[in-house]
Amino acid sequence: MENPFDDQQDDPSAGQTEKGRRSVRMPPEARKTELLTRAIEFFSEEGFDGGTRALAQRIGITQPLIYRYFPSKEDLINEVYNAVYVSQWKDDWTIRLVDRSLPLQQRLTEFYRDYAHTIFNRTWMRIFFFAGLKGLDINTRYINRVISNLLVPICIEARANLGLPTDTPVTPEELDLVWLMHGAIFYQGIREHVYGLPGQIDHDRSAQVAIKMYLGVAASEIPAAIAKT
């Protein structure tokens, strides 16, 4: 079986070919990408309690080789965050959410259909929960991005939809209301990839129900929240 890391072992015999196995030489960047891919698979299955020694054993390399490409475990986790979360983030999500040429319900429906398609996979969901249980800041960074780029804009668009002022700060009550909708939709991914109920969940229908509930309650809750300020 080919191992793309064979020629990088910290062993005097590195690069030699064993019987029945061919050493594969890869450019450093390609090797780093392959190592990151293996690390993502490892953390999504084992969690972040699994150290770089266990990761090295899983891949079949030496631990120092990992540190050749990632100076510390923190650096490796940051790369995992960028690959799993940042690289899949779509900047046009916010642009589409604030496009008032379309009805708000349609914007929310189209956004959540795309968002769910992006994040509702085993790797994304499991890494997110393992990171949260470990108390890593990658969850905090991601949630802050969700709040500032998605949830706050939704709050403002909900105000505009009701003909309310949009130039005052979003209240905690408004943000909580959006979190209830967002959380209800996100929970469907938990059911599928944490509880293991694939094939029993209609994600589109779940999102549509959550959106209708949000818009229905928003008509009374948002004005009341603004009135308190």
Side-chain angles (χ1 to χ4, degrees):
M1 180 179 179
E2 296 181 359
N3 185 339
F5 303 107
D6 277 349
D7 64 313
Q8 290 295 312
Q9 296 285 350
D10 296 331
D11 186 291
S13 63
Q16 295 181 0
T17 303
E18 296 180 11
K19 185 176 181 180
R21 186 177 67 179
R22 180 166 57 87
S23 180
V24 179
R25 293 188 176 277
M26 299 172 65
E29 282 304 312
R31 195 174 293 113
K32 180 178 180 180
T33 299
E34 176 68 16
L35 180 54
L36 178 60
T37 299
R38 302 284 187 91
I40 291 171
E41 294 172 355
F42 175 77
F43 289 131
S44 71
E45 295 300 325
E46 304 296 331
F48 290 94
D49 283 328
T52 53
R53 185 180 300 277
L55 171 60
Q57 291 175 345
R58 171 72 65 86
I59 298 174
I61 62 175
T62 61
Q63 190 179 22
L65 177 58
I66 294 177
Y67 292 121
R68 182 180 301 177
Y69 293 98
F70 307 97
S72 68
K73 184 178 178 180
E74 181 179 356
D75 290 315
L76 176 56
I77 290 174
N78 281 333
E79 292 286 350
V80 169
Y81 171 75
N82 288 329
V84 175
Y85 298 116
V86 177
S87 69
Q88 298 190 74
W89 186 274
K90 300 181 182 180
D91 291 332
D92 73 337
W93 281 337
T94 305
I95 296 172
R96 289 155 56 188
L97 281 171
V98 301
D99 179 9
R100 295 179 187 171
S101 67
L102 298 174
L104 180 57
Q105 183 172 337
Q106 179 180 341
R107 283 179 269 159
L108 290 172
T109 300
E110 292 177 354
F111 159 69
Y112 276 112
R113 181 179 295 119
D114 192 8
Y115 186 72
H117 180 76
T118 300
I119 72 170
F120 285 176
N121 62 76
R122 180 178 175 83
T123 298
W124 196 105
M125 298 294 293
R126 289 178 63 86
I127 285 183
F128 186 82
F129 277 94
F130 277 132
L133 291 171
K134 187 65 176 176
L136 301 179
D137 77 333
I138 62 177
N139 286 59
T140 301
R141 280 186 278 167
Y142 183 79
I143 288 173
N144 286 339
R145 177 183 285 236
V146 167
I147 292 172
S148 61
N149 294 325
L150 301 178
L151 304 191
V152 168
I154 290 174
C155 288
I156 294 172
E157 293 308 301
R159 284 188 181 189
N161 191 55
L162 295 170
L164 298 170
T166 59
D167 56 353
T168 56
V170 169
T171 65
E173 291 84 359
E174 291 175 273
L175 195 56
D176 283 345
L177 199 61
V178 178
W179 266 122
L180 288 173
M181 173 183 63
H182 189 85
I185 295 169
F186 185 78
Y187 179 67
Q188 306 314 311
I190 298 175
R191 290 176 61 198
E192 181 173 0
H193 297 289
V194 178
Y195 296 167
L197 300 173
Q200 302 180 34
I201 303 168
D202 185 336
H203 291 298
D204 284 346
R205 179 180 177 278
S206 298
Q208 289 168 8
V209 170
I211 292 166
K212 288 179 180 178
M213 292 172 63
Y214 167 70
L215 293 176
V217 174
S220 60
E221 292 292 323
I222 293 178
I226 296 175
K228 292 179 182 180
T229 60

